[in-house]
Amino acid sequence: MHSENSPQPPPETPQPKRRSKQIGIFLLLCLLVSCLTSVLTLYLYDRHFVQKIVAVDLSGYVAEQRELYLAGRITDAELHRRMDLLAQVVDEVPAHHVVLMADGVVRNIRVIRP
């Protein structure tokens, strides 16, 4: 005989399955955040901190300007303006870049030509 006032056991809930699903979601979220953080860190490190090597073709540029000046194609003022442009290009190279003369570079280095 069951009376309505007698205590009945609570219905069983699938608590362990729910808990393991929550743990799985939490671990997946941790993995995603970790991967995204690693990728972003490597990108920013490569973009802003790693030493990069570039070459500037100074002698080629100066020789070209000399030929133009001696041929009378550019004036004194234009020659000075172009030399100032060369200095500006070299000054604009970021601080984490090592600048070499293009004469000594064989390959696999970005060469800047003003």
Side-chain angles (χ1 to χ4, degrees):
M1 291 211 304
H2 291 285
S3 70
E4 291 190 28
N5 291 340
S6 68
Q8 295 181 5
E12 289 186 30
T13 58
Q15 188 114 17
K17 282 188 176 184
R18 183 175 180 207
R19 170 81 76 202
S20 67
K21 188 176 183 179
Q22 288 176 340
I23 290 174
I25 291 173
F26 176 74
L27 290 176
L28 181 64
L29 240 118
C30 287
L31 180 67
L32 285 173
V33 168
S34 177
C35 288
L36 287 174
T37 303
S38 296
V39 167
L40 182 64
T41 301
L42 287 173
Y43 172 76
L44 290 175
Y45 179 71
D46 180 63
R47 184 86 173 148
H48 297 287
F49 297 104
V50 170
Q51 288 286 322
K52 307 276 184 175
I53 300 175
V54 295
V56 178
D57 187 15
L58 289 176
S59 61
Y61 185 76
V62 170
E64 179 185 342
Q65 300 312 309
R66 181 175 170 257
E67 287 176 17
L68 291 173
Y69 181 73
L70 291 176
R73 293 186 188 158
I74 58 174
T75 63
D76 285 341
E78 180 66 18
L79 179 64
H80 287 293
R81 188 189 69 75
R82 290 182 180 197
M83 289 300 133
D84 290 341
L85 174 68
L86 173 64
Q88 180 183 358
V89 167
V90 172
D91 288 342
E92 287 177 356
V93 174
H96 64 277
H97 283 66
V98 175
V99 181
L100 301 174
M101 294 280 293
D103 298 341
V105 175
V106 177
R107 65 180 178 157
N108 296 337
I109 294 180
R110 183 175 67 116
V111 176
I112 299 172
R113 291 184 174 85

